[in-house]
Amino acid sequence: MKVDKIFIASDHAGFEVKEQIKELLMGKFQVVDLGCDSKDISVDYPDFSHKMAQNLQKDDDFGILICGTGIGISIAANRHKNVRCALCHDVSTAKLSREHNNANVIAFGARVVGLSVIIDMLDAFFNTQFAGGRHQNRVEKINFGD
Ligand code: RB5
């Protein structure tokens, strides 16, 4: 799978995990950190979801969003039409979010998933192609309205 840039963002609850996985990914990919910058200053997760959506410009751009549960930050990200953000908890959901849903952003919760599972999920996410075929039409139907 072709990956140009990986944007990464978190709120304060996800900050430490963001820093850890950023280090791991930087050896393999171009990684752009969109914040936040501290675990000690409370911030609002939607601000980082919106920043992610603004930065995802190309088909080969991908994103990683982290908050305490992954729930808030993924809900807010999915309000944007250029985002298909999958809240994942294990390798199967991470893999299928690419294969079936062509997810361009993976979200997870730093307070609910351990680091080794997170690393395995990222490996699955960034090494799985969208299957297309019957899934293409379904993905195209996700956006509606204006
Ligand atoms: C922050 O305390 C927490 O609410 C946030 O990280 C996230 O879990 C929200 O969905």
Side-chain angles (χ1 to χ4, degrees):
M1 151 182 176
K2 192 167 175 294
V3 178
D4 184 11
K5 284 196 201 87
I6 297 178
F7 295 93
I8 186 167
S10 74
D11 71 355
H12 54 286
F15 173 78
E16 285 179 307
V17 166
K18 172 169 71 67
E19 295 305 299
Q20 286 168 311
I21 60 175
K22 198 170 75 176
E23 283 296 311
L24 296 172
L25 290 168
M26 278 191 327
K28 300 184 197 157
F29 302 102
Q30 190 183 345
V31 181
V32 182
D33 187 346
L34 303 176
C36 70
D37 301 317
S38 166
K39 69 177 172 54
D40 300 317
I41 300 166
S42 188
V43 292
D44 300 329
Y45 57 79
D47 294 339
F48 297 91
S49 310
H50 302 326
K51 215 168 166 182
M52 175 64 68
Q54 284 154 11
N55 278 276
L56 289 174
Q57 299 289 338
K58 294 189 281 175
D59 285 350
D60 298 335
D61 289 340
F62 290 88
I64 300 170
L65 287 172
I66 314 155
C67 67
T69 58
I71 297 171
I73 208 160
S74 59
I75 291 174
N78 279 317
R79 301 303 299 266
H80 295 268
K81 290 194 166 177
N82 61 329
V83 174
R84 289 177 303 283
C85 177
L87 172 57
C88 296
H89 293 93
D90 49 41
V91 170
S92 297
T93 46
K95 186 171 184 294
L96 286 169
S97 74
R98 286 287 312 129
E99 214 170 280
H100 288 196
N101 313 110
N102 200 15
N104 58 355
V105 179
I106 181 170
F108 44 82
R111 292 175 177 162
V112 295
V113 190
L115 186 61
S116 67
V117 173
I118 290 170
I119 291 167
D120 289 347
M121 288 196 300
L122 292 173
D123 190 50
F125 189 83
F126 289 112
N127 285 295
T128 305
Q129 297 277 2
F130 177 46
R134 69 185 191 280
H135 302 292
Q136 182 69 46
N137 186 42
R138 295 167 186 170
V139 168
E140 282 168 14
K141 281 186 171 180
I142 289 173
N143 286 338
F144 64 96
D146 295 333

